Amino acid sequence: MSVIIIGAGPAGCEAAYRLARSGESVELIEKEAEIGGNLNNWYQLFPDRKQAADLKAKLRKNIEHPQIHLHLKSKPVAFSRQGDGTIQLTLDDGALITGKALLVASGFRTFDAHRKEEYGYGIYENVITSVELENAFINHQINTSTGHAPKRIGLIHCVGSRDEKICRLYCSKLCCVTAVKQAIELREMLPEAEILCFYMDMRMFGPGYEEMYREAQEKYNIKFVRGRLSEASEDREKRLIIKVEDTLVGKPLKMTLDLMVLMVGMEPAEGNDQLISMLNLQTAPNGFIQVSDPHSGTNCTHQKGIFVTGCSSSPMNLTDTLTDARSAAVTISEYLNS
Amino acid sequence: MSVIDSLKKDIHYIESLNSCMNCGVCTAICPAAEFYNYDPRIIADTVQRQDEESLEALLKSDTIWYCGECMSCKTRCPRGNTPGGIIMALRRASQEQGWFTESEKGRQQFALKRVLGTNILNYGYCITPDIVKPEMHPEQGLVWEWIYEHRDDVYERTHANYRHSGAGTLRKVDDDSLNELRQIFEVTGGSEFMEKIETYSLRKAEENGLDPESYFLQTYMANNGTHGEEKSNR
Ligand code: SF4
Ligand code: SF4
Ligand code: SF4
């Protein structure tokens, strides 16, 4: 009997591969037509600027393992247990899958920036999200809506995070470093542009992150303004007029930008609530899946035999997601052998 | 009682400050911050630090009198604070302690009390055209001067019932209603509060060797024009 994994993003793929290598057979379920999840929206990864496509190719190769059965374009619709605790999952194509353990690796979705209406996403043409900027990098083209190379670009931190107004109190962890990485990438494409990051705190916690921040200042001439965006409006040339306070000077600041990039945060994956209720799990205060213990049970849920990994339980960067997936594989192996 | 303890009893304070992360969103949207040396973020931060010395300095400063209480800050704060509401509590504390007489903008409380506070009790209006004398309001310009001189005719042509009994805009408020209004001020502590402004202000006038009328005119007219630039907010 197998281990069932919901979600074939980086966490699901990595856990599947580790479990398969330790001799388990794995049923890997993915709702999209391809694996990779949010990784498909990234161009280069921090801190080493590895191509996201290369990492995905590696994950893809790993899950070609004979013990892994990949179900693409599939969603679980019903869950039940047999008398001996065996897990039964019905997929939307009618298939019935059984397993001794279930791993939730449903990941996250990025914050819908329309909800922060005062930032003008979907209203003003030159407001884009960090995800859209990654796509622009993939296509090697950065232009304003009027077809010009932007002269001044602002990257706005904490969009969809740390904000009571949209009921997202937590920090999404990866957007500070994403902003620094994207600012450097922008500088490489646009040597003359003025590039500014508007931040509250620089949360550069990972190895090499703080160094990258320093390099952004010293080598790439990126400017950092400590202030959170209050609102944006548009002028006749489709430029953006932004209002922030430069809190280190203690003065309100009005500035014109040619392009504004919103560093969107992480939210529980689409269908997260339904999954939680279908599997009888608990919802954490931040809306993600509650783990059984914040130190010793980070991959365990409140249901026996059901485990969780990656951004299903809280925002994580890619490094931590992959580490967490390996940890989940170990946790599940122990469970199966006990 | 310490300043912070008195603030903690004020409903405006209770409802207005959770915790501030110094993001500056309120300041960026604040119309007062655009023109004056006034920063609602620093107000929230100063209050949450609970340092009595800084709080006393704040209550004695011009700073707390720049806010227009427009409450734009309430709509945006990512921590659910309302700096404009904190200001309401600070103003109240300053009025209760008499510390408003220590700053030029604070002393204007006297002018406000004597003008608006008296008007409401005498006429049932904070402002009626009679009261806006052109010589006291040069900012209203020549057009107002003309309207003021011809106010009976002008308001008649606008179909107002100016200064007459009965229904209609600008009507004379009848005695029964006025008495009721005065009673409301008595019962709710409004009159006592206004008396406090009067007492503290007259004390200040005496301290400065001014008769009440000259002091009133001074609070009405004085403007050092620096908009708080000479002082720090903290
Ligand atoms: S990582 Fe940075 S930008 Fe993202 S929510 Fe946290 S503080 Fe804000
Ligand atoms: S209420 Fe006061 S502090 Fe708040 S935005 Fe209006 S003027 Fe500024
Ligand atoms: S918007 Fe709120 S959290 Fe931000 S500085 Fe103002 S009071 Fe503090």
Side-chain angles (χ1 to χ4, degrees), chain B residues 103-115:
Chain B
S103 73
E104 180 188 283
K105 304 295 177 242
R107 284 191 288 276
Q108 292 173 353
Q109 291 299 294
F110 186 52
L112 283 169
K113 184 261 158 191
R114 282 225 166 163
V115 178

Side-chain angles (χ1 to χ4, degrees), chain B residues 169-231:
Chain B
T169 38
L170 292 174
R171 68 184 177 279
K172 181 179 181 301
V173 176
D174 62 78
D175 288 342
D176 282 352
S177 304
L178 275 180
N179 280 333
E180 203 176 324
L181 196 65
R182 287 173 195 139
Q183 260 178 329
I184 291 173
F185 269 73
E186 280 302 321
V187 174
T188 57
S191 308
E192 192 194 334
F193 177 68
M194 291 212 286
E195 232 8 83
K196 250 182 214 166
I197 304 280
E198 182 83 17
T199 310
Y200 284 128
S201 298
L202 292 180
R203 200 179 290 167
K204 187 74 185 176
E206 209 180 301
E207 219 177 282
N208 291 355
L210 290 171
D211 61 88
E213 189 57 22
S214 317
Y215 181 75
F216 170 79
L217 280 175
Q218 196 189 60
T219 62
Y220 209 94
M221 304 290 209
N223 185 359
N224 62 30
T226 58
H227 302 313
E229 282 302 334
E230 87 285 11
K231 278 183 199 148

Side-chain angles (χ1 to χ4, degrees), chain A residues 139-154:
Chain A
N139 301 321
H140 302 286
Q141 201 153 27
I142 307 287
N143 274 329
T144 65
S145 67
T146 47
H148 297 102
K151 291 201 202 71
R152 190 188 280 147
I153 307 171

